[in-house]
Amino acid sequence: DVKVTQSSRYLVKRTGEKVFLECVQDMDHENMFWYRQDPGLGLRLIYFSYDVKMKEKGDIPEGYSVSREKKERFSLILESASTNQTSMYLCASSLEGVGEKLFFGSGTQLSVL
Amino acid sequence: EDKVVQSPLSLVVHEGDTVTLNCSYEVTNFRSLLWYKQEKKAPTFLFMLTSSGIEKKSGRLSSILDKKELSSILNITATQTGDSAIYLCAYGGGANSKLTFGKGITLSVRP
């Protein structure tokens, strides 16, 4: 089975801190994604990547950046965390083109105080 | 703007009931429609429907795609408490070919 691993299940950070969320997949998938999930708003796409060193903005990229130096790893970076970035963050990967089946990690619940 | 609308937003039923969850989409370039189940952690894949596969079934769950009406339904028969979850609908295609999710339907199945 495909495994998508997110480094932390829960994180608590302070406003202004730089935050790194890490995601690793073990199935050689080309595509990787970062979503955030908020009650009443569903899943919203932050950034995605089709290949190493390649990134594309999703629907809500403001306040975030990403890094993909290796195929299996996709990092989400909050340069200066703010309270409105408190959320559940979900990483996902897929083998083929976007619009295909996604495999999700277990999520990171981030609280920014 | 492409969008996905799910209804109802929440639903409470009793074990043994049959439920129908709805998903409608307004898209510019339809490619696929996916259903996921999310319990406490990661969403898990249920079905993917495309132009070449408009009906899928797995045990008590089934899903149908109506391309004319731009909608899909997910049916669950003989519901169990383990079916309690958030059910997510997403479509693939459109601008940048990204997956666009609806807000999800929270299903609670009571004993």
Side-chain angles (χ1 to χ4, degrees), chain A residues 85-112:
Chain A
Q85 292 179 308
T86 292
S87 185
M88 170 67 79
Y89 290 87
L90 288 164
C91 174
S93 70
S94 70
L95 181 60
E96 300 176 21
V98 187
E100 302 296 337
K101 177 179 172 182
L102 295 183
F103 295 85
F104 284 90
S106 295
T108 296
Q109 178 62 52
L110 173 67
S111 297
V112 182

mmCIF file of all heavy atoms in Angstrom, chain A residues 85-112:
data_model
loop_
_atom_site.group_PDB
_atom_site.id
_atom_site.type_symbol
_atom_site.label_atom_id
_atom_site.label_comp_id
_atom_site.label_asym_id
_atom_site.label_seq_id
_atom_site.Cartn_x
_atom_site.Cartn_y
_atom_site.Cartn_z
ATOM 1 N N GLN A 85 -3.688 30.670 10.521
ATOM 2 C CA GLN A 85 -3.145 29.462 9.889
ATOM 3 C C GLN A 85 -3.309 28.235 10.783
ATOM 4 O O GLN A 85 -2.839 27.144 10.447
ATOM 5 C CB GLN A 85 -1.675 29.668 9.525
ATOM 6 C CG GLN A 85 -1.514 30.690 8.405
ATOM 7 C CD GLN A 85 -0.065 30.930 8.035
ATOM 8 O OE1 GLN A 85 0.766 31.211 8.908
ATOM 9 N NE2 GLN A 85 0.244 30.860 6.760
ATOM 10 N N THR A 86 -3.983 28.419 11.903
ATOM 11 C CA THR A 86 -4.386 27.269 12.712
ATOM 12 C C THR A 86 -5.353 26.425 11.901
ATOM 13 O O THR A 86 -6.405 26.912 11.454
ATOM 14 C CB THR A 86 -5.058 27.737 14.013
ATOM 15 O OG1 THR A 86 -4.093 28.364 14.842
ATOM 16 C CG2 THR A 86 -5.669 26.558 14.756
ATOM 17 N N SER A 87 -4.995 25.158 11.697
ATOM 18 C CA SER A 87 -5.790 24.321 10.798
ATOM 19 C C SER A 87 -5.255 22.900 10.804
ATOM 20 O O SER A 87 -4.202 22.614 11.371
ATOM 21 C CB SER A 87 -5.723 24.886 9.374
ATOM 22 O OG SER A 87 -6.564 24.175 8.476
ATOM 23 N N MET A 88 -6.001 22.017 10.137
ATOM 24 C CA MET A 88 -5.507 20.673 9.839
ATOM 25 C C MET A 88 -4.860 20.715 8.456
ATOM 26 O O MET A 88 -5.486 21.159 7.487
ATOM 27 C CB MET A 88 -6.657 19.670 9.848
ATOM 28 C CG MET A 88 -6.280 18.295 9.307
ATOM 29 S SD MET A 88 -5.106 17.408 10.335
ATOM 30 C CE MET A 88 -6.198 16.802 11.621
ATOM 31 N N TYR A 89 -3.615 20.262 8.384
ATOM 32 C CA TYR A 89 -2.908 20.254 7.114
ATOM 33 C C TYR A 89 -2.754 18.812 6.627
ATOM 34 O O TYR A 89 -2.267 17.946 7.351
ATOM 35 C CB TYR A 89 -1.536 20.921 7.257
ATOM 36 C CG TYR A 89 -1.663 22.401 7.458
ATOM 37 C CD1 TYR A 89 -1.824 22.938 8.732
ATOM 38 C CD2 TYR A 89 -1.655 23.272 6.370
ATOM 39 C CE1 TYR A 89 -1.977 24.311 8.918
ATOM 40 C CE2 TYR A 89 -1.799 24.636 6.544
ATOM 41 C CZ TYR A 89 -1.966 25.142 7.814
ATOM 42 O OH TYR A 89 -2.122 26.496 7.992
ATOM 43 N N LEU A 90 -3.175 18.595 5.395
ATOM 44 C CA LEU A 90 -3.128 17.259 4.806
ATOM 45 C C LEU A 90 -2.217 17.258 3.588
ATOM 46 O O LEU A 90 -2.365 18.079 2.684
ATOM 47 C CB LEU A 90 -4.531 16.815 4.382
ATOM 48 C CG LEU A 90 -5.496 16.473 5.512
ATOM 49 C CD1 LEU A 90 -6.919 16.444 5.002
ATOM 50 C CD2 LEU A 90 -5.135 15.133 6.128
ATOM 51 N N CYS A 91 -1.316 16.306 3.571
ATOM 52 C CA CYS A 91 -0.450 16.092 2.423
ATOM 53 C C CYS A 91 -1.014 14.926 1.618
ATOM 54 O O CYS A 91 -1.614 14.004 2.191
ATOM 55 C CB CYS A 91 0.964 15.774 2.903
ATOM 56 S SG CYS A 91 2.111 15.326 1.597
ATOM 57 N N ALA A 92 -0.832 14.960 0.305
ATOM 58 C CA ALA A 92 -1.317 13.870 -0.545
ATOM 59 C C ALA A 92 -0.373 13.681 -1.715
ATOM 60 O O ALA A 92 0.389 14.584 -2.081
ATOM 61 C CB ALA A 92 -2.732 14.154 -1.051
ATOM 62 N N SER A 93 -0.432 12.483 -2.304
ATOM 63 C CA SER A 93 0.356 12.230 -3.507
ATOM 64 C C SER A 93 -0.482 11.453 -4.500
ATOM 65 O O SER A 93 -1.476 10.814 -4.139
ATOM 66 C CB SER A 93 1.640 11.472 -3.169
ATOM 67 O OG SER A 93 1.357 10.136 -2.786
ATOM 68 N N SER A 94 -0.075 11.512 -5.768
ATOM 69 C CA SER A 94 -0.747 10.725 -6.808
ATOM 70 C C SER A 94 0.261 10.347 -7.871
ATOM 71 O O SER A 94 1.263 11.027 -8.078
ATOM 72 C CB SER A 94 -1.924 11.482 -7.423
ATOM 73 O OG SER A 94 -1.478 12.560 -8.212
ATOM 74 N N LEU A 95 -0.053 9.245 -8.544
ATOM 75 C CA LEU A 95 0.880 8.701 -9.522
ATOM 76 C C LEU A 95 0.754 9.380 -10.872
ATOM 77 O O LEU A 95 1.738 9.688 -11.497
ATOM 78 C CB LEU A 95 0.633 7.200 -9.685
ATOM 79 C CG LEU A 95 1.537 6.461 -10.670
ATOM 80 C CD1 LEU A 95 2.993 6.572 -10.246
ATOM 81 C CD2 LEU A 95 1.136 5.002 -10.787
ATOM 82 N N GLU A 96 -0.461 9.623 -11.310
ATOM 83 C CA GLU A 96 -0.644 10.109 -12.665
ATOM 84 C C GLU A 96 -0.946 11.597 -12.657
ATOM 85 O O GLU A 96 -0.616 12.293 -11.723
ATOM 86 C CB GLU A 96 -1.757 9.306 -13.327
ATOM 87 C CG GLU A 96 -1.453 7.820 -13.396
ATOM 88 C CD GLU A 96 -2.580 7.020 -13.964
ATOM 89 O OE1 GLU A 96 -3.428 7.580 -14.656
ATOM 90 O OE2 GLU A 96 -2.620 5.801 -13.712
ATOM 91 N N GLY A 97 -1.644 12.069 -13.671
ATOM 92 C CA GLY A 97 -1.957 13.482 -13.756
ATOM 93 C C GLY A 97 -2.941 13.894 -12.680
ATOM 94 O O GLY A 97 -3.629 13.080 -12.090
ATOM 95 N N VAL A 98 -3.017 15.157 -12.406
ATOM 96 C CA VAL A 98 -3.969 15.674 -11.435
ATOM 97 C C VAL A 98 -5.370 15.333 -11.902
ATOM 98 O O VAL A 98 -5.660 15.333 -13.080
ATOM 99 C CB VAL A 98 -3.832 17.201 -11.273
ATOM 100 C CG1 VAL A 98 -4.703 17.691 -10.136
ATOM 101 C CG2 VAL A 98 -2.394 17.579 -11.023
ATOM 102 N N GLY A 99 -6.247 15.039 -10.946
ATOM 103 C CA GLY A 99 -7.572 14.562 -11.301
ATOM 104 C C GLY A 99 -7.650 13.073 -11.099
ATOM 105 O O GLY A 99 -8.703 12.478 -11.245
ATOM 106 N N GLU A 100 -6.547 12.487 -10.717
ATOM 107 C CA GLU A 100 -6.500 11.066 -10.429
ATOM 108 C C GLU A 100 -6.562 10.838 -8.918
ATOM 109 O O GLU A 100 -6.596 11.756 -8.123
ATOM 110 C CB GLU A 100 -5.230 10.459 -11.012
ATOM 111 C CG GLU A 100 -5.078 10.659 -12.507
ATOM 112 C CD GLU A 100 -6.149 9.954 -13.296
ATOM 113 O OE1 GLU A 100 -6.735 8.992 -12.776
ATOM 114 O OE2 GLU A 100 -6.398 10.351 -14.453
ATOM 115 N N LYS A 101 -6.529 9.594 -8.550
ATOM 116 C CA LYS A 101 -6.698 9.201 -7.156
ATOM 117 C C LYS A 101 -5.563 9.729 -6.288
ATOM 118 O O LYS A 101 -4.387 9.522 -6.589
ATOM 119 C CB LYS A 101 -6.734 7.684 -7.106
ATOM 120 C CG LYS A 101 -6.842 7.060 -5.750
ATOM 121 C CD LYS A 101 -6.875 5.546 -5.938
ATOM 122 C CE LYS A 101 -6.790 4.814 -4.619
ATOM 123 N NZ LYS A 101 -6.784 3.345 -4.825
ATOM 124 N N LEU A 102 -5.924 10.401 -5.209
ATOM 125 C CA LEU A 102 -4.956 10.901 -4.249
ATOM 126 C C LEU A 102 -4.836 9.947 -3.070
ATOM 127 O O LEU A 102 -5.822 9.361 -2.626
ATOM 128 C CB LEU A 102 -5.380 12.258 -3.709
ATOM 129 C CG LEU A 102 -5.446 13.450 -4.661
ATOM 130 C CD1 LEU A 102 -5.812 14.698 -3.872
ATOM 131 C CD2 LEU A 102 -4.128 13.638 -5.366
ATOM 132 N N PHE A 103 -3.613 9.856 -2.549
ATOM 133 C CA PHE A 103 -3.361 9.124 -1.312
ATOM 134 C C PHE A 103 -2.960 10.157 -0.265
ATOM 135 O O PHE A 103 -2.036 10.935 -0.484
ATOM 136 C CB PHE A 103 -2.247 8.103 -1.505
ATOM 137 C CG PHE A 103 -2.597 7.009 -2.475
ATOM 138 C CD1 PHE A 103 -2.412 7.185 -3.834
ATOM 139 C CD2 PHE A 103 -3.124 5.813 -2.028
ATOM 140 C CE1 PHE A 103 -2.731 6.184 -4.735
ATOM 141 C CE2 PHE A 103 -3.447 4.800 -2.917
ATOM 142 C CZ PHE A 103 -3.259 4.989 -4.280
ATOM 143 N N PHE A 104 -3.652 10.140 0.867
ATOM 144 C CA PHE A 104 -3.446 11.164 1.877
ATOM 145 C C PHE A 104 -2.604 10.676 3.046
ATOM 146 O O PHE A 104 -2.656 9.498 3.426
ATOM 147 C CB PHE A 104 -4.799 11.626 2.433
ATOM 148 C CG PHE A 104 -5.555 12.540 1.523
ATOM 149 C CD1 PHE A 104 -6.434 12.032 0.584
ATOM 150 C CD2 PHE A 104 -5.395 13.915 1.613
ATOM 151 C CE1 PHE A 104 -7.143 12.870 -0.261
ATOM 152 C CE2 PHE A 104 -6.092 14.763 0.779
ATOM 153 C CZ PHE A 104 -6.966 14.237 -0.161
ATOM 154 N N GLY A 105 -1.887 11.616 3.650
ATOM 155 C CA GLY A 105 -1.272 11.371 4.940
ATOM 156 C C GLY A 105 -2.297 11.549 6.049
ATOM 157 O O GLY A 105 -3.450 11.916 5.796
ATOM 158 N N SER A 106 -1.874 11.292 7.284
ATOM 159 C CA SER A 106 -2.797 11.336 8.422
ATOM 160 C C SER A 106 -3.092 12.736 8.921
ATOM 161 O O SER A 106 -3.942 12.911 9.780
ATOM 162 C CB SER A 106 -2.232 10.506 9.574
ATOM 163 O OG SER A 106 -2.185 9.141 9.202
ATOM 164 N N GLY A 107 -2.384 13.715 8.389
ATOM 165 C CA GLY A 107 -2.675 15.087 8.752
ATOM 166 C C GLY A 107 -1.841 15.605 9.907
ATOM 167 O O GLY A 107 -1.383 14.845 10.762
ATOM 168 N N THR A 108 -1.634 16.913 9.909
ATOM 169 C CA THR A 108 -0.984 17.607 11.022
ATOM 170 C C THR A 108 -1.935 18.691 11.517
ATOM 171 O O THR A 108 -2.321 19.572 10.738
ATOM 172 C CB THR A 108 0.333 18.256 10.583
ATOM 173 O OG1 THR A 108 1.252 17.256 10.183
ATOM 174 C CG2 THR A 108 0.935 19.069 11.730
ATOM 175 N N GLN A 109 -2.323 18.581 12.779
ATOM 176 C CA GLN A 109 -3.164 19.624 13.370
ATOM 177 C C GLN A 109 -2.231 20.692 13.940
ATOM 178 O O GLN A 109 -1.534 20.454 14.926
ATOM 179 C CB GLN A 109 -4.055 19.050 14.467
ATOM 180 C CG GLN A 109 -4.922 20.089 15.152
ATOM 181 C CD GLN A 109 -5.894 20.765 14.202
ATOM 182 O OE1 GLN A 109 -6.639 20.101 13.474
ATOM 183 N NE2 GLN A 109 -5.908 22.098 14.200
ATOM 184 N N LEU A 110 -2.215 21.842 13.307
ATOM 185 C CA LEU A 110 -1.346 22.942 13.712
ATOM 186 C C LEU A 110 -2.158 23.987 14.475
ATOM 187 O O LEU A 110 -3.200 24.444 13.993
ATOM 188 C CB LEU A 110 -0.698 23.599 12.494
ATOM 189 C CG LEU A 110 0.099 24.873 12.758
ATOM 190 C CD1 LEU A 110 1.345 24.552 13.588
ATOM 191 C CD2 LEU A 110 0.498 25.550 11.455
ATOM 192 N N SER A 111 -1.673 24.339 15.632
ATOM 193 C CA SER A 111 -2.264 25.425 16.406
ATOM 194 C C SER A 111 -1.236 26.533 16.514
ATOM 195 O O SER A 111 -0.103 26.291 16.967
ATOM 196 C CB SER A 111 -2.675 24.952 17.799
ATOM 197 O OG SER A 111 -3.677 23.964 17.709
ATOM 198 N N VAL A 112 -1.628 27.742 16.118
ATOM 199 C CA VAL A 112 -0.743 28.900 16.236
ATOM 200 C C VAL A 112 -1.319 29.827 17.309
ATOM 201 O O VAL A 112 -2.444 30.316 17.185
ATOM 202 C CB VAL A 112 -0.609 29.639 14.894
ATOM 203 C CG1 VAL A 112 0.365 30.811 15.046
ATOM 204 C CG2 VAL A 112 -0.139 28.702 13.804
#
